[in-house]
Amino acid sequence: MRRFCRILRFLLLTVAILCRNAVAQTRPHIILIVADDLGYNDVSFHGSTQIPTPNIDSLAYGGVILNNYYVSPICTPTRGALMTGRHPIQTGLQSGVIFASQPYGLPLNETIMPQYFQKLGYRRHMVGKWHLGFHKKEFTPMYRGFETHYGYYLGCGDYYDHTSEANEDYFGFDFWRNTTVDLTGIGQYSTELFRQEANNIIQKHNTSEPLFLYLPFQAVHSGNLPSGKYLQAPTKYIKKFPHIQNTQRRTYAAMVSALDDAVGSIVQNLKDKKMYSNSIIVFTTDNGGPANGFDGNAASNFPLRGVKATLWEGGVRGVGFISSPLLKTKGYVSNQMIHVTDWLPTLYTAAGGKVGDLKRLYGIDQWQVLQTNGKPVRNEMLHNIDPYDKTAAIRVGDYKLLYGPVMGWDGWYPPYQLSENSSQLTNDKTKINFSQHFDNNLVQEMEFGEVSLNPVRGSPVTIQCGPKPANASTNCQAKKVPCLYHIPSDPCEYNNIAASNMDIVTKLVAKITEYKSTMMVPPGNKPVDPAGNPRVNGGIWKPWLD
């Protein structure tokens, strides 16, 4: 009898292990790509006539283009929201970014995406930018659920020597492999380093286990501003854009092209490894583009209003899509409202997890919606409440309300076009129709980039603004009274309709007040700590409070 019981226990254990392995093998591989500071008008699937992005386009057209998708207006808040599924006002990351040696980060009591996926048996790798705190080692990726990290901690840096310069006094090296400073990449372009690292991870991956690869590129953020290295790209990419006369915009286009090639290469590696058919690829920006010289950059959100770090549509409406052979319905444009916090519950559900296991979320599970182009499950989203600069914005249904000192960088900025560094309307003589070029040459490795095999074509998703009134720049005085816009009919925020819709204004202001009272925690921002200066840490940006 005892022998029979032992045999039975062994058989049950064997079955349990086999079942667990079978489940692991069926969980999808998840590739989460973040482009840094990419403008809404900087991909050709949004109609850019300057910058072709054939690899990114192919994924977007073959998947689901998110046409009503929103992120936070700047980097750290979006990345925290992406990792936790919680709004920045819930985590204390709602005010600006972590700068230099400010000793704070994403709170350690927050469970983040790789930790959740670890529970589902995923292998978890990160390649690229962190920007969620590094003053103590416990705040860095290797202590927050990732098995490997290749990249950097701060918000920006030189693309070749991998130094980060906050100002003339705070300057140091910031590039890591796991928990060790890595000097081997000095002199090599970061987009290509991250492309190679991601491909190495894919090539070495045991396909019997599900892969979670978080890939936040440095591109296309500006470099070290105090040193004047605003935008950097390999010469071979810059030469592809002779039609762009403005030198900054030409270099920016080259940076986007290098990013597009990296995406194409990674997709091809997934196919070669026979992982693609069981993969989900998400592509997102972290915020709107820094246009017109903002932050030393040359992005474009045109015709949307505003830039990165603003609450206008140009600051918060994100470039995004999901692409996967596993989608039941694909090749469509989604107009359902989706927020960056939705990715955690959505991908967790797609991976076979139970969304009920995720606690205290702001994000909503959108997997079924995206699978079927189903009915919307989100009707509102808080863009932000910043108690320091006293700004706030919210979207409820079709209406967006914002108030506070939001009027800086509040214009409509076409792509740089002239040789001098100033923003001008696109000159018809320099405007190129890439659609014809794509039709004839897309399957070749053409001068505009390395194109993946069997590209998917589609029609660009563009913004239609309607007529611009003469008072578009002055009809909103949000520092004095809230402004209201009807986004579906006025995506470019030309017409402030608050005066004729005070009932809606009252409801949205009350909604913001409700968020303040029920969700918001104080910002975690702290002054720069001189003890974290690389000058006193061997020239390295590294944890200094261990």
Side-chain angles (χ1 to χ4, degrees):
M1 185 66 179
R2 290 180 179 176
R3 182 183 180 189
F4 173 78
C5 290
R6 285 197 298 269
I7 293 173
L8 181 60
R9 283 197 296 269
F10 174 77
L11 290 174
L12 290 174
L13 179 61
T14 302
V15 169
I17 292 172
L18 290 173
C19 289
R20 184 183 64 187
N21 291 342
V23 170
Q25 290 178 12
T26 59
R27 296 195 195 278
H29 308 297
I30 295 173
I31 317 298
L32 177 53
I33 301 172
V34 180
D36 198 340
D37 283 5
L38 183 67
Y40 195 86
N41 186 34
D42 293 332
V43 288
S44 43
F45 79 83
H46 276 173
S48 173
T49 57
Q50 287 189 324
I51 307 174
T53 49
N55 294 299
I56 292 172
D57 289 5
S58 184
L59 286 173
Y61 289 138
V64 180
I65 296 174
L66 307 179
N67 197 39
N68 194 11
Y69 172 58
Y70 289 83
V71 294
S72 291
I74 201 164
C75 173
T76 294
T78 290
R79 291 164 198 267
L82 182 64
M83 288 289 101
T84 64
R86 284 163 51 74
H87 200 282
I89 72 165
Q90 296 176 287
T91 60
L93 298 179
Q94 67 268 53
S95 186
V97 300
I98 299 170
F99 174 75
S101 57
Q102 289 182 304
Y104 78 102
L106 180 64
L108 297 180
N109 62 353
E110 299 290 346
T111 304
I112 70 171
M113 195 175 282
Q115 294 168 322
Y116 282 120
F117 282 118
Q118 182 178 7
K119 297 176 182 178
L120 300 180
Y122 274 78
R123 308 312 302 263
R124 305 153 324 277
H125 303 277
M126 177 181 170
V127 179
K129 171 178 170 177
W130 179 235
H131 211 189
L132 288 173
F134 71 100
H135 59 294
K136 295 182 178 180
K137 66 182 181 182
E138 290 81 9
F139 284 79
T140 61
M142 293 295 291
Y143 294 86
R144 308 211 66 169
F146 288 104
E147 297 176 84
T148 66
H149 173 227
Y150 181 71
Y152 58 108
Y153 292 154
L154 283 164
C156 63
D158 189 282
Y159 278 71
Y160 288 98
D161 68 26
H162 312 302
T163 60
S164 182
E165 184 177 19
N167 54 49
E168 292 181 358
D169 294 323
Y170 283 71
F171 177 90
F173 188 77
D174 182 22
F175 212 81
W176 298 78
R177 180 173 291 282
N178 302 329
T179 58
T180 303
V181 175
D182 191 328
L183 304 176
T184 61
I186 293 177
Q188 299 180 63
Y189 193 59
S190 69
T191 303
E192 295 179 345
L193 286 174
F194 295 153
R195 162 184 175 166
Q196 293 165 10
E197 181 71 12
N199 283 334
N200 286 339
I201 289 170
I202 291 167
Q203 289 165 4
K204 295 176 181 177
H205 182 68
N206 178 355
T207 57
S208 68
E209 299 176 290
L211 169 67
F212 171 58
L213 174 58
Y214 177 44
L215 186 52
F217 280 95
Q218 182 174 2
V220 286
H221 200 289
S222 51
N224 283 330
L225 298 185
S227 297
K229 296 180 179 179
Y230 299 153
L231 300 170
Q232 298 172 285
T235 302
K236 66 179 181 180
Y237 283 104
I238 295 174
K239 288 181 177 180
K240 295 175 182 177
F241 296 92
H243 60 282
I244 300 178
Q245 297 178 32
N246 178 272
T247 55
Q248 290 186 24
R249 181 68 176 171
R250 187 186 311 136
T251 303
Y252 178 87
M255 296 165 74
V256 175
S257 184
L259 172 65
D260 184 72
D261 279 357
V263 171
S265 175
I266 290 163
V267 170
Q268 190 60 53
N269 261 278
L270 289 170
K271 292 178 178 179
D272 292 344
K273 188 73 172 181
K274 301 191 185 307
M275 293 169 61
Y276 181 77
S277 62
N278 191 36
S279 291
I280 297 171
I281 300 172
V282 170
F283 183 95
T284 178
T285 48
D286 60 344
N287 44 250
N292 208 50
F294 183 92
D295 205 18
N297 213 302
S300 175
N301 305 305
F302 195 75
L304 296 176
R305 186 176 190 175
V307 301
K308 166 187 176 178
T310 73
L311 291 168
W312 300 104
E313 291 292 284
V316 296
R317 188 165 179 174
V319 179
F321 62 79
I322 182 170
S323 189
S324 173
L326 303 175
L327 290 168
K328 295 177 182 177
T329 306
K330 47 185 175 285
Y332 71 91
V333 177
S334 164
N335 288 301
Q336 295 91 337
M337 185 184 293
I338 297 177
H339 189 256
V340 65
T341 54
D342 297 340
W343 286 123
L344 174 58
T346 299
L347 294 174
Y348 196 74
T349 297
K354 296 179 180 179
V355 73
D357 295 338
L358 311 176
K359 306 300 182 184
R360 304 175 299 134
L361 297 187
Y362 182 75
I364 297 173
D365 177 12
Q366 301 264 10
W367 181 240
Q368 189 62 26
V369 174
L370 294 169
Q371 278 272 53
T372 62
N373 194 13
K375 293 181 180 180
V377 293
R378 177 182 283 281
N379 186 54
E380 70 175 58
M381 57 192 163
L382 178 69
H383 289 309
N384 199 33
I385 302 170
D386 189 332
Y388 286 168
D389 66 16
K390 301 187 185 308
T391 58
I394 192 171
R395 170 86 174 271
V396 177
D398 293 340
Y399 293 94
K400 175 182 176 180
L401 178 139
L402 71 167
Y403 66 78
V406 299
M407 302 309 293
W409 291 93
D410 60 332
W412 298 264
Y413 307 106
Y416 278 147
Q417 192 55 234
L418 301 182
S419 56
E420 61 269 22
N421 294 327
S422 60
S423 178
Q424 299 289 337
L425 286 169
T426 303
N427 186 323
D428 287 339
K429 293 181 181 179
T430 61
K431 192 172 182 179
I432 291 181
N433 181 357
F434 283 113
S435 61
Q436 182 178 1
H437 184 88
F438 286 169
D439 289 342
N440 294 334
N441 300 290
L442 191 56
V443 296
Q444 303 174 16
E445 285 198 0
M446 56 189 181
E447 60 174 330
F448 288 106
E450 303 168 13
V451 182
S452 59
L453 299 176
N454 302 316
V456 179
R457 299 174 177 84
S459 299
V461 180
T462 58
I463 301 289
Q464 304 300 320
C465 293
K468 183 179 181 180
N471 68 344
S473 299
T474 59
N475 62 30
C476 171
Q477 299 296 324
K479 194 172 182 179
K480 298 178 180 178
V481 292
C483 300
L484 183 72
Y485 297 90
H486 185 262
I487 296 301
S489 65
D490 185 23
C492 299
E493 296 169 304
Y494 287 160
N495 303 285
N496 175 18
I497 58 173
S500 58
N501 293 275
M502 288 307 299
D503 57 332
I504 299 174
V505 171
T506 300
K507 290 178 181 177
L508 269 58
V509 169
K511 196 69 180 177
I512 289 176
T513 302
E514 180 184 339
Y515 274 113
K516 285 182 179 179
S517 63
T518 61
M519 283 177 52
M520 191 164 71
V521 301
N525 305 54
K526 294 181 179 180
V528 169
D529 183 356
N533 191 330
R535 290 179 183 268
V536 297
N537 289 288
I540 308 294
W541 291 102
K542 64 180 182 179
W544 69 95
L545 293 179
D546 291 344

